[in-house]
C-alpha cells in the first residue's frame, strides 16, 4: 500500500474493473466494487475470487493469501457506498456520456481529498476532469488487459492535475508491482494510438478480402511475432471498446486514416462484441473458437 491511499473504489465490474479490483486487493488495499446493480457487483467479486483460485492453482499466490484478498473486496450497490474511499478508479464502459453521469453522481459523495481516476482507453483526461469537482485531483490511470498479467500502466495527467496527485498515482501504481509509462493527454494516449489503428487495419484487411480471419491472425503471429493475432486481440479487448477508441481517434485527430472499418461497426451493431458476448471475429460458444468469416 502507499501513502494516504488505503481504500480503493472501483466503478465497473467488467473485465477491467475486476482485474483492477484483483491487483488492488492482492496488494493489500480494501476494495469496494460497484456496477449498475448490486447483483452485477457481486458477480464481479465472484469472478475475482475465481481468478484468485486459478492463481493459487498456478502457484502465483498461496491459498490463505488468495482467501484474504477475496475477503477484502466488498461489492456494493451504489456509488454512495464509495464515500470513504481514498482513490476511486472508474472502469465503466468506454462512453463519455456514461463516465460523465458516473462522475456527476459520485463527486458529491467523495471525500474532498479523494483522488478520482479513469481507466479510459482513449477519452481526454482534461475533458473528463472538467466534468468533476476536482480536476486537480483527477488522473488517467490506464491499466492493460488482463490486468493481473500485464506489467504496464499508462499514467495521463489532465491540464489541471496537480503534482501531488500525479506523485500519489505513481506511488499507487508502483505498489501494485506495475511499471509506469507517462503519456500526454492526446486521443488514445500511447498504447492505443498505435495498437488500435493496427487492429482496425487488420479488420479492413478482412473486409477487403485480402485474407481470412485465420490467415490474418496466423500472418501476424508467425510473421510479426505477435503473441496474439490482431482479430483475436480485438475480440479479447471487446469490439465495442475497439470501435469507441477508433471513434475517439477519428473525432479527436480529424484524420481519415482513423476511420473505423465498416465491418467493425457491423459486428458491434450485431451485438457481436467478441469474447465477452460469446461471438466476434471468432465464435466462442463451442469448445474451441471458430472463425466467423
Ligand atoms: P466491459 O464491457 O467488460 O465492462 C464495463 C462495465 O461497466 C460493465 O460491467 C457495465 O455494466 C459497467 N457499467 C456501465 N455503465 C455503468 C454505470 N453507469 N455505473 C457502473 N458501472 C457501469 O468493459 P471493459 O473492457 O472492462 O472496459 C472498461 C473500461 O476500461 C473502458 O473505459 C475501456 O476503454 C477501458 N479499458 C479496456 C481495456 C480492454 O482491453 N478491454 C483495456 C484498458 C482499458
Amino acid at each position: 500500500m502507499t501513502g494516504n491511499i488505503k481504500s480503493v473504489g472501483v466503478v465497473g465490474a467488467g473485465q477491467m474493473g475486476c482485474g483492477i479490483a484483483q491487483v488492488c486487493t492482492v496488494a493489500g488495499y480494501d476494495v469496494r466494487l460497484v456496477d449498475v446493480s448490486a447483483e452485477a457487483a457481486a458477480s464481479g467479486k465472484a469472478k475475482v475470487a475465481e481468478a484468485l483460485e486459478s492463481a493459487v492453482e498456478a502457484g502465483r499466490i498461496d491459498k490463505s493469501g488468495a482467501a484474504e484478498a477475496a475477503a477484502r473486496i466488498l461489492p456494493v450497490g451504489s456509488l454512495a457506498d464509495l464515500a470513504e474511499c481514498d482513490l476511486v478508479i472508474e472502469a465503466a464502459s468506454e462512453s463519455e456520456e456514461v463516465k460523465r453521469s458516473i462522475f456527476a453522481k459520485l463527486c458529491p459523495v467523495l471525500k474532498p481529498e479523494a483522488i478520482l481516476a479513469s481507466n479510459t482507453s482513449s477519452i481526454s483526461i482534461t475533458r473528463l476532469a472538467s466534468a468533476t469537482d476536482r480536476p486537480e485531483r483527477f488522473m488517467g490511470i490506464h491499466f492493460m488487459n488482463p490486468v493481473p498479467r500485464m506489467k504496464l500502466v499508462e499514467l495521463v495527467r489532465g491540464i489541471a492535475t496537480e503534482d501531488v496527485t500525479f506523485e500519489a498515482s505513481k506511488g499507487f501504481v508502483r505498489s501494485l508491482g506495475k511499471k509506469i509509462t507517462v503519456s500526454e493527454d492526446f486521443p488514445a494516449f500511447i498504447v492505443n494510438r498505435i495498437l488500435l489503428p493496427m487492429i482496425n487495419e487488420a479488420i479492413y484487411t478482412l473486409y477487403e478480402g485480402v485474407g481470412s480471419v485465420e490467415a490474418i491472425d496466423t500472418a501476424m503471429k508467425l510473421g510479426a511475432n505477435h503473441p496474439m493475432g490482431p482479430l483475436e486481440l480485438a475480440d479479447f479487448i471487446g469490439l465495442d471498446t475497439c470501435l469507441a477508441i477508433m471513434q475517439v481517434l477519428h473525432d479527436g485527430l480529424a484524420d481519415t486514416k482513423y476511420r473505423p472499418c465498416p465491418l467493425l461497426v457491423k459486428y458491434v451493431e450485431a451485438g457481436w462484441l467478441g469474447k465477452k458476448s460469446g461471438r466476434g471475429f471468432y465464435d466462442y460458444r463451442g469448445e474451441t473458437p471458430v472463425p466467423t468469416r
Side-chain angles (χ1 to χ4, degrees):
M1 287 199 280
T2 180
N4 296 329
I5 302 173
K6 295 195 166 46
S7 157
V8 179
V10 178
V11 183
Q15 50 183 347
M16 293 306 290
C18 288
I20 294 167
Q22 182 177 335
V23 296
C24 289
T25 187
V26 167
Y29 294 97
D30 286 324
V31 177
R32 292 190 163 211
L33 184 60
V34 67
D35 201 282
V36 288
S37 64
E39 293 71 30
S43 120
K45 174 171 175 164
K47 281 188 201 129
V48 178
E50 221 173 272
L52 286 166
E53 270 171 37
S54 309
V56 171
E57 280 160 29
R60 287 194 294 270
I61 185 171
D62 63 42
K63 213 170 166 83
S64 66
E68 283 166 21
R72 271 193 296 271
I73 300 181
L74 182 65
V76 293
S78 113
L79 291 167
D81 297 316
L82 306 186
E84 296 308 314
C85 294
D86 306 307
L87 165 68
V88 174
I89 304 172
E90 172 280 312
S93 313
E94 187 71 344
S95 148
E96 191 163 335
E97 201 186 328
V98 167
K99 294 184 189 298
R100 279 176 176 268
S101 81
I102 288 169
F103 298 147
K105 288 186 208 125
L106 181 62
C107 288
V109 307
L110 287 183
K111 297 190 281 195
E113 66 275 22
I115 294 177
L116 183 53
S118 177
N119 182 51
T120 177
S121 299
S122 61
I123 302 168
S124 163
I125 297 304
T126 297
R127 210 162 61 233
L128 289 178
S130 75
T132 76
D133 60 352
R134 61 195 70 214
E136 64 288 352
R137 281 187 302 289
F138 193 91
M139 274 297 299
I141 303 185
H142 179 218
F143 290 85
M144 307 293 135
N145 186 18
V147 182
R149 303 300 289 273
M150 299 296 278
K151 295 190 187 84
L152 187 78
V153 172
E154 265 184 320
L155 286 182
V156 189
R157 299 176 71 151
I159 200 168
T161 308
E162 282 176 350
D163 288 348
V164 63
T165 305
F166 184 46
E167 292 306 321
S169 306
K170 278 192 200 161
F172 167 71
V173 170
R174 289 199 185 109
S175 76
L176 304 177
K178 303 289 186 197
K179 297 268 184 253
I180 292 168
T181 190
V182 178
S183 168
E184 288 300 319
D185 187 20
F186 279 92
F189 320 125
I190 295 173
V191 173
N192 287 324
R193 169 80 178 260
I194 299 168
L195 182 64
L196 261 294
M198 185 205 66
I199 288 176
N200 195 47
E201 198 60 27
I203 303 169
Y204 269 114
T205 309
L206 178 68
Y207 178 61
E208 290 168 11
V210 181
S212 64
V213 167
E214 212 166 0
I216 292 165
D217 276 351
T218 303
M220 293 308 285
K221 279 193 285 191
L222 303 186
N225 215 14
H226 289 194
M228 286 172 99
L231 300 172
E232 191 187 357
L233 180 56
D235 275 358
F236 184 66
I237 292 170
L239 301 187
D240 52 341
T241 302
C242 290
L243 177 59
I245 297 170
M246 286 312 298
Q247 281 163 339
V248 168
L249 280 167
H250 194 232
D251 295 347
L253 298 169
D255 189 325
T256 52
K257 75 178 178 184
Y258 299 113
R259 190 170 70 103
C261 179
L263 189 61
L264 173 61
V265 176
K266 190 182 287 221
Y267 270 60
V268 173
E269 284 174 350
W272 293 16
L273 306 183
K275 213 164 177 194
K276 65 183 171 188
S277 71
R279 204 166 6 173
F281 293 111
Y282 293 85
D283 188 334
Y284 298 91
R285 293 169 301 168
E287 264 184 24
T288 48
V290 180
T292 51
R293 294 179 94 80

